[in-house]
Structure formats: C-alpha cells, structure tokens
Amino acid sequence: MTEPLLSIEDLTVTFRTRSESVRAVDGVSFEVYPGETVGVVGESGSGKSVTMLSMLRLLPRTSRVITSGRALLNGKDMLRASRRELRRIRGREVALIPQDPMTCLDPVLRIGGQLGEALRAHSSVSRDEQRKRAVELLASVGLPQPDRQYGQFPHELSGGMRQRVMIAMGMANNPSLLIADEPTTALDVTIQAQVMDILREAQAETQAGLVLITHDLGLIAEMADRVVVMYAGHVVETGEVNAIFAKPRHPYTVGLLGSLPQTGGDQDWLRPIPGSPPDLARIPTGCPFHPRCLHSHGREICRTQLPQLTPIGSDSTHRTACHFSDELADESIHGLLTVAQEIQ
C-alpha cells in the first residue's frame, strides 16, 4: 500500500473558556490514501468539522484552542507548520470545499476575480491565462454558460451553482487532498447528485484523496471507500464501507443506520437514537455513548472504562470502540433494530 496522503494521529482539540474546557476532539486517528474517499459521519457536534479545520489550522484565532497530536499531510505536520508554509500548502496541496458557499464567496467580487485569486496565489499566470483557466474550471463543474458566470456576482447564481464554483476553486491548483464539508447541504436531490458526480469526476482526474464530511449515510454508501464514525469527539468505529453497513460493530453505528427511512419492508416508523448527544464540557465517564446505548444495560464497565478502538478479529481495517462488540457479531441489522424497537 502506498503512503497515506493524510495521517491524523491522536488528535485532541480543546476549547478553553473562562469557566471550563470543552474537548471537541479526543484522540482521533485515521488515514487517507491517494484516490480514496473517506467518509466522516456522526451527529452535529461529534467533532467532524473541527477535526479537519484544526488540521488546516482554520479555527478562529479569537478562540482559545489547545491542540495536540499530529496531522501529517504528505509527511508535513500541519499542526507545527509556519504561517508561510500554511499559505503555500492550503489551496495547493489541500483544498477545502465548505458547507455554505454563500458565506465563503465574497459578495462584492465577481466569480472570475475570486477564481483568479485562487490561481494567482500559487502560480504566476498572465491575465489571459488566468481567464482561460477560470472559464475551463467553471465549464468542468457543469456551469451552463461559464463565460457569462465568470463575470457574475455570487448573488446572481443559485445555491447549486455557487457550490460548483467552490468545487472549481478547490480544484484550481490540482490539490492532492480535497475536504468536502457537507457539500450537498440545502441542495435539492437532483442538484445533490450532480454536485457529487462533479466531485467524483474531479477526484478521478487528479487521483486526489477525498474526505467527505456528511450526515447523509446514503451519500456515504454511494461515495466512500472507508468510513469513520465519530461520537462526542471520539472515533467509535472505522472500516471499509461494506463492512460498516453490513456488520456494524458499535451500537451508535447501528442506531445511525436504524434511523434511516426505509423504502421497502414493513417498517412504518423511524427508530431514532434515544436521548441527545452529551455536553462536551461534561462528557460522561466511561463510554461516552453509554447513557443512550441500547446494549449497555447499565453494565459497570460501560459506565467506568473508556473503550479503546480495537481491531475486530483478524480484520485490522475494521475497528470499534465497544466493550461488547462481540455481542453484535452474529446479529443482522434487522435483528439489532428489532431488539432496539423492543427496548424502546
């Protein structure tokens, strides 16, 4: 196997306030390889976006943040890079496609000018070359009239068109790693499919690694090669996408899959995960998921000992952080959800 493009090792991110400390990310580790798509899933507040923003050093400077661990991008530790190195790396070796393009595009600058700025930041190009490349990028992401859209302002474009502009901007310098943070939020289903097709084509063209942050498990099933499931700042399960969907080995993953609406069978109601995610300033002792877990049954080890992420049998790629993952081994998703329904 080739060396990973990105290797996050024991990453911890703590926000400090006057009265308390909030550990938003706690000991997160995973890798991304060239040409691979890694899906990062979990409820809001689980630490998905903070993990990647801390790796890029894009957390607000006004926040009091303490970060530890390593985030190696092509062998370079981003957490210890100088500002000059970060300016060279961001946009060139790694690009972020943010969740809300309307707040990320400058409303008073034309689309072409913003794309040109991304190009000029990492290469010396003439004005004519800049325009030609920008129009090519807009055409490559499926904008219907790229010459026209080059001269338009962000408010003149629809939400889907703005998201395509952000993808074009991310691909401007052919980065080796793309990070897409909820790229289909607030888009209708048809536009979502088009945006993901564009992302897939862009990735295939450059063999870039892709980190896909999303709540949409259907999107993960379609796009991802591997999945990282996060809860309360921890990675609770990780593995190949087929293994995660066929044989989940953490109760939280089972709950996420069970909360999906079904298009077949006799299911006539959704099965939500009981309770709410914990306050990150007051995470429960032991397993952070145990107050909501349908398989804990109040067992002491769940309440007192934090489970470590360990391989399942001989499969080193499928790992879970559950004291009783063996109890889920021989049960199908249908069986697990039936048990959950009976308990509820």
Side-chain angles (χ1 to χ4, degrees):
M1 184 175 287
T2 60
E3 290 295 316
L5 282 172
L6 175 67
S7 179
I8 293 178
E9 302 172 1
D10 198 25
L11 178 66
T12 298
V13 181
T14 304
F15 294 88
R16 299 187 64 182
T17 67
R18 292 181 179 179
S19 59
E20 58 191 8
S21 294
V22 177
R23 184 163 289 185
V25 176
D26 193 351
V28 166
S29 299
F30 64 88
E31 298 83 30
V32 182
Y33 290 87
E36 179 185 44
T37 298
V38 174
V40 184
V41 300
E43 293 169 284
S44 296
S46 61
K48 308 182 300 296
S49 296
V50 171
T51 296
M52 304 316 300
L53 290 175
S54 63
M55 184 277 291
L56 292 169
R57 304 264 294 277
L58 288 176
L59 293 173
R61 293 184 183 179
T62 54
S63 57
R64 300 171 63 191
V65 182
I66 300 173
T67 306
S68 64
R70 298 202 304 172
L72 303 176
L73 178 66
N74 291 322
K76 179 69 179 178
D77 191 352
M78 295 287 286
L79 301 184
R80 291 162 181 80
S82 66
R83 289 186 180 180
R84 183 174 183 179
E85 288 173 319
L86 288 173
R87 283 196 299 270
R88 180 186 63 81
I89 294 171
R90 292 192 299 227
R92 183 177 181 180
E93 294 184 34
V94 57
L96 173 67
I97 300 169
Q99 182 172 351
D100 186 359
M102 192 58 195
T103 60
C104 296
L105 290 169
D106 193 321
V108 300
L109 293 180
R110 298 179 190 275
I111 296 300
Q114 297 185 58
L115 265 172
E117 185 178 359
L119 291 166
R120 291 194 305 274
H122 300 287
S123 60
S124 299
V125 293
S126 67
R127 187 173 295 275
D128 289 341
E129 291 172 330
Q130 170 191 306
R131 180 184 175 87
K132 180 181 177 182
R133 173 63 175 155
V135 171
E136 288 175 352
L137 285 166
L138 294 175
S140 71
V141 296
L143 287 177
Q145 297 175 293
D147 283 298
R148 181 171 177 236
Q149 273 105 40
Y150 178 91
Q152 289 183 313
F153 291 97
H155 72 270
E156 297 180 88
L157 306 182
S158 68
M161 294 169 78
R162 289 194 294 265
Q163 190 62 275
R164 296 180 196 205
V165 170
M166 294 306 303
I167 294 173
M169 198 173 295
M171 295 303 301
N173 296 291
N174 296 321
S176 58
L177 178 66
L178 279 171
I179 300 170
D181 188 356
E182 298 282 2
T184 59
T185 297
L187 302 179
D188 64 58
V189 176
T190 303
I191 302 301
Q192 285 183 23
Q194 293 173 0
V195 167
M196 295 317 298
D197 285 342
I198 291 164
L199 261 180
R200 189 186 288 112
E201 291 170 6
Q203 181 189 16
E205 183 179 337
T206 62
Q207 280 300 297
L210 173 63
V211 177
L212 180 60
I213 302 170
T214 182
H215 296 88
D216 188 342
L217 290 175
L219 196 61
I220 291 295
E222 180 184 354
M223 290 284 296
D225 300 303
R226 286 191 298 117
V227 185
V228 176
V229 183
M230 293 188 66
Y231 181 79
H234 297 262
V235 174
V236 296
E237 187 167 10
T238 180
E240 302 291 333
V241 66
N242 292 334
I244 294 291
F245 276 76
K247 285 287 186 181
R249 297 290 290 273
H250 194 283
Y252 180 59
T253 311
V254 174
L256 288 177
L257 293 171
S259 63
L260 287 173
Q262 304 296 316
T263 57
D266 58 357
Q267 177 181 344
D268 56 4
W269 60 286
L270 294 178
R271 301 181 177 93
I273 302 172
S276 301
D279 180 350
L280 294 180
R282 298 171 184 83
I283 294 179
T285 58
C287 174
F289 187 61
H290 85 261
R292 307 174 68 190
C293 183
L294 299 173
H295 299 272
S296 172
H297 305 301
R299 287 180 279 202
E300 182 179 0
I301 190 172
C302 297
R303 292 184 282 108
T304 58
Q305 294 186 27
L306 178 67
Q308 300 301 310
L309 201 63
T310 55
I312 295 172
S314 59
D315 185 0
S316 60
T317 63
H318 192 179
R319 295 179 292 166
T320 184
C322 178
H323 293 300
F324 299 101
S325 63
D326 289 344
E327 295 182 3
L328 308 181
D330 299 322
E331 299 186 64
S332 66
I333 280 288
H334 177 74
L336 293 169
L337 297 178
T338 300
V339 170
Q341 180 178 350
E342 290 173 352
I343 293 174
Q344 290 175 326

